[in-house]
């Protein structure tokens, strides 16, 4: 009897199997909410909060905003409360949201495909100057984000944005976020197909649709017809990547289930060929699978990547075709390996004979004043179109050949470089502790300082540096700056200072990468070295030491990512 009891306790053959908890999948478990996030979404759609903002909160002020609206539904319209100044990173996990937040908002303007006209650029610049204390950042999702927004000003900001065809609709929240698109859509000489009609159709048909406004969590999309695969397709929930089918011509290859954060997973290729005509319906099918079958019980498992991990690509494609499309998709070819960079920095010829110029701001910081000066410069040289990129860059289109050299020189004077150093070109940073309630450390100022120091310290080996070497800086574990996909990724933490106290620092990720002409393999997540943490003040020292070691010990043609993957741990500290 004692032996049997022990066997039961240890999970032996006679132990009763533990009941599996439901995942709150609507099509399986019903729509009864299993947490408060699901409760408030069912009680009232996030889309409905706009009327309350316009009719109540903008008149009565911040204190009138209900809790579920402030910390939930406001996101459906691109609004998050920002971090109160002066709260150090060590208190981030110890304080409640209400103790961390200020009475101002971050506002995210969604730029599907990263496309901006000159009029739209001037409108954003004006809003930044008048309502956001001059702030504006280009995010690595092709959006522009502003800070210091008061709820009283939101209706007027919406009015100005919508007058020029822009919006903040579903820029945040458990909805379809901005659609990444190739910055060279419609202009590149080597484009497989222009994804703009697909992006526009998805946006017109489905963004703001109440039937898709309650997803388990956010849903990220990328669509590109450019051979550089310039939309980081491996880390989106759905990606459509341009391919040439031997029988059916240009179309898209379908990828599903990517995402980073604290449990990173690369997207899975379904092997399906999607024609341009089919693409909006395929997108609609995938997002409805997420809505109907996505896990809702636990927020940290509510992304589509977890459903893909549970189902696998064969079942996912079968459900898509049989339950949501009603027809089978053709099998299709894999995308060819990229032959050049997808950040589009530099001067390049368009298919119409004009030129586009890719410019590098410092870690995505632009500001209303700079955007105004850029708009003036574009107008001076005959350009009326700007594109943002998933690498926090700007691409100016349609420059006449005879104007390119002068334009580039004047853009450099603005702080926008078409020929940046390897460090400035390939360093990104998230918002960080300056404005983000989740952040633990400062990011953008740290990254800017490190770029300047590395440019000076490594000047003697400039001709030995790789053409690109990515350094991504994130203020917390959530990976908004894609740290696991960088050559060198820095994840913000509070670390021991060696003297019995604590200081701001970073855990180091090394050797990550996505589809890129530099990689000798498919996209990979970076490795971590056990115990390797670097204080914020020591980042330049560490990166310099690491790069010099790479230069000294690499084999011919070996990329930094491959070197870092293969190196012994003692070489990486």
């Amino acid at each position: 009897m004692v032996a049997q009891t022990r066997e039961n306790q240890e999970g032996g053959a006679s132990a009763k199997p533990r009941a599996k908890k439901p995942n709150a999948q609507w099509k399986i478990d019903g729509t009864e909410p299993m947490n408060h996030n699901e409760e408030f979404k069912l009680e009232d759609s996030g889309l409905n909060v706009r009327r309350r903002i316009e009719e109540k909160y903008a008149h009565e002020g911040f204190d009138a905003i209900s809790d579920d609206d402030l910390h939930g539904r406001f996101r459906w319209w691109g609004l998050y409360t920002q971090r109160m100044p002066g709260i150090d990173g060590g208190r981030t996990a110890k304080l409640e949201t209400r103790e961390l937040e200020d009475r101002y908002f971050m506002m995210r303007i969604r730029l599907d495909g990263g496309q901006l006209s000159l009029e739209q650029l001037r409108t954003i610049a004006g809003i930044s100057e008048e309502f956001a204390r001059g702030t504006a950042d280009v995010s690595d999702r092709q959006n522009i984000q502003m800070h210091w927004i008061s709820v009283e000003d939101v209706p007027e900001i919406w009015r100005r944005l919508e007058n020029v065809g822009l919006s903040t609709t579903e820029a945040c929240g458990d909805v379809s976020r901005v659609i990444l698109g190739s910055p060279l859509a419609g202009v590149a000489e080597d484009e497989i197909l222009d994804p703009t009609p697909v992006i526009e159709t998805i946006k017109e048909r489905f963004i703001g649709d109440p039937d898709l406004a309650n997803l388990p969590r956010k849903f990220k999309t990328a669509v590109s017809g450019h051979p550089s695969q310039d939309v980081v397709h491996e880390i989106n929930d759905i990606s459509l990547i341009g391919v040439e089918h031997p029988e059916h011509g240009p179309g898209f290859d379908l990828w599903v289930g990517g995402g980073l954060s604290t449990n990173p997973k690369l997207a899975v290729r379904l092997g399906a060929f999607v024609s341009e005509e089919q693409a909006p319906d395929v997108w609609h099918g995938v997002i409805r699978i997420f809505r109907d079958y996505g896990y809702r019980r636990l927020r940290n498992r509510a992304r589509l990547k977890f459903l893909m991990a549970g189902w696998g690509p064969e079942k996912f494609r079968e459900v898509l075709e049989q339950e949501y499309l009603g027809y089978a998709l053709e099998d299709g070819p894999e995308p060819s390996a990229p032959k050049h960079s997808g950040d589009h920095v530099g001067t390049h010829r368009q298919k119409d004979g004009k030129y586009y110029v890719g410019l590098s701001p410092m870690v995505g910081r632009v500001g209303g004043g700079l955007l105004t000066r850029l708009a003036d410069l574009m107008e001076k040289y005959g350009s009326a179109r700007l594109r943002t990129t998933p690498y926090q860059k700007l691409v100016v289109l349609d420059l006449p050949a005879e104007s390119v050299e002068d334009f580039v020189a004047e853009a450099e004077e603005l702080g926008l470089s078409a020929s940046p150093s390897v460090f400035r070109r390939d360093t990104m940073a998230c918002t960080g502790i300056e404005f983000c309630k989740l952040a633990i450390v400062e990011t953008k100022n740290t990254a800017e300082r490190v770029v300047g120091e590395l440019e000076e310290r490594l000047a003697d080996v400039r001709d030995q540096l790789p053409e690109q070497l990515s350094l991504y800086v994130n203020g917390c574990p959530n990976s908004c700056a894609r740290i696991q996909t960088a050559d060198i990724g820095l994840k913000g933490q509070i670390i021991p200072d060696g003297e019995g106290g604590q200081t701001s620092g970073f855990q180091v990720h090394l050797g990550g990468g996505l589809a890129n002409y530099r990689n000798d393999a498919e996209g990979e997540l970076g490795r971590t070295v056990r115990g390797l943490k670097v204080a914020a003040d020591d980042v330049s020292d560490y990166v310099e030491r690491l790069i010099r070691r790479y230069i000294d010990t690499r084999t011919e043609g070996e990329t930094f990512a491959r070197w870092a993957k293969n190196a012994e741990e003692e070489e990486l500290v």
Side-chain angles (χ1 to χ4, degrees), residues 307-552:
L307 180 64
M308 174 60 77
W311 278 7
E314 293 80 11
K315 179 177 179 179
F316 196 100
R317 181 171 171 179
E318 179 183 324
V319 171
L320 173 64
E321 293 174 340
Q322 294 183 6
E323 291 189 33
Y324 291 85
L325 293 178
Y327 59 85
L329 295 167
E330 296 276 353
D331 292 338
E334 292 187 49
S336 300
K339 294 182 173 58
H340 55 81
S341 171
D343 70 3
H344 307 308
V345 170
T347 300
H348 311 272
R349 179 184 167 91
Q350 298 177 180
K351 63 184 178 182
D352 62 2
K354 294 182 179 180
Y355 284 78
Y356 66 88
V357 176
L359 300 170
S360 181
M362 184 63 79
V363 293
R365 279 183 163 168
V366 284
L370 177 57
L371 294 178
T372 297
R373 294 191 292 275
L374 176 60
D376 292 342
L377 189 61
M378 289 170 58
E379 189 168 23
K380 176 181 177 180
Y381 287 104
S383 170
R385 294 193 294 169
L386 179 73
R387 302 278 171 85
T388 59
T389 85
Y391 296 91
Q392 298 182 334
K393 305 294 185 285
L394 302 171
V395 181
V396 176
L397 306 183
D398 306 328
L399 290 164
E402 64 274 13
S403 301
V404 169
E405 189 174 336
D406 290 339
F407 174 86
V408 167
E410 292 193 43
E412 186 77 45
E413 293 175 4
L414 297 180
L416 299 171
S417 179
S419 54
S421 71
V422 62
F423 306 111
R424 175 163 174 165
R425 175 175 182 171
D426 225 11
T427 296
M428 294 200 306
C430 72
T431 300
I433 202 170
E434 182 179 13
F435 294 116
C436 180
K437 300 191 297 291
L438 301 178
I440 302 167
V441 302
E442 206 287 320
T443 53
K444 288 192 179 287
N445 289 333
T446 297
E448 186 171 353
R449 171 179 58 80
V450 169
V451 167
E453 290 176 352
L454 291 176
E455 287 174 340
E456 182 177 338
R457 294 182 183 197
L458 292 168
D460 62 311
V461 292
R462 184 184 295 116
D463 59 347
Q464 300 177 59
L465 295 171
E467 182 183 350
Q468 288 185 268
L469 194 152
S470 52
L471 173 64
Y472 297 168
V473 185
N474 214 80
C476 77
N478 289 313
S479 200
C480 294
R482 309 200 296 259
I483 49 174
Q484 299 99 328
T485 69
D487 288 311
I488 305 170
L490 302 177
K491 178 172 71 179
Q493 293 184 341
I494 299 299
I495 66 173
D497 64 4
E499 299 178 358
Q502 293 183 316
T503 189
S504 296
F506 299 92
Q507 183 181 41
V508 180
H509 296 253
L510 295 169
L514 299 178
N516 194 295
Y517 74 105
R518 296 174 293 148
N519 294 345
D520 52 9
E522 293 183 355
E524 294 186 79
L525 300 174
R527 66 184 285 195
T528 56
V529 178
R530 185 175 301 169
L532 177 54
K533 301 181 193 303
V534 179
D537 291 342
D538 298 333
V539 169
S540 297
D541 293 340
Y542 172 73
V543 175
E544 179 190 1
R545 182 167 68 248
L546 194 65
I547 291 174
R548 288 190 184 277
R549 194 168 292 157
Y550 160 66
I551 291 172
D552 291 342

Side-chain angles (χ1 to χ4, degrees), residues 101-119:
E101 69 189 0
D102 208 341
R103 299 167 67 87
Y104 297 95
F105 295 88
M106 179 275 287
M107 174 179 276
R108 182 176 295 157
I109 302 169
R110 69 178 293 152
L111 303 179
D112 296 282
Q115 301 193 15
L116 278 171
S117 68
L118 194 60
E119 182 184 28

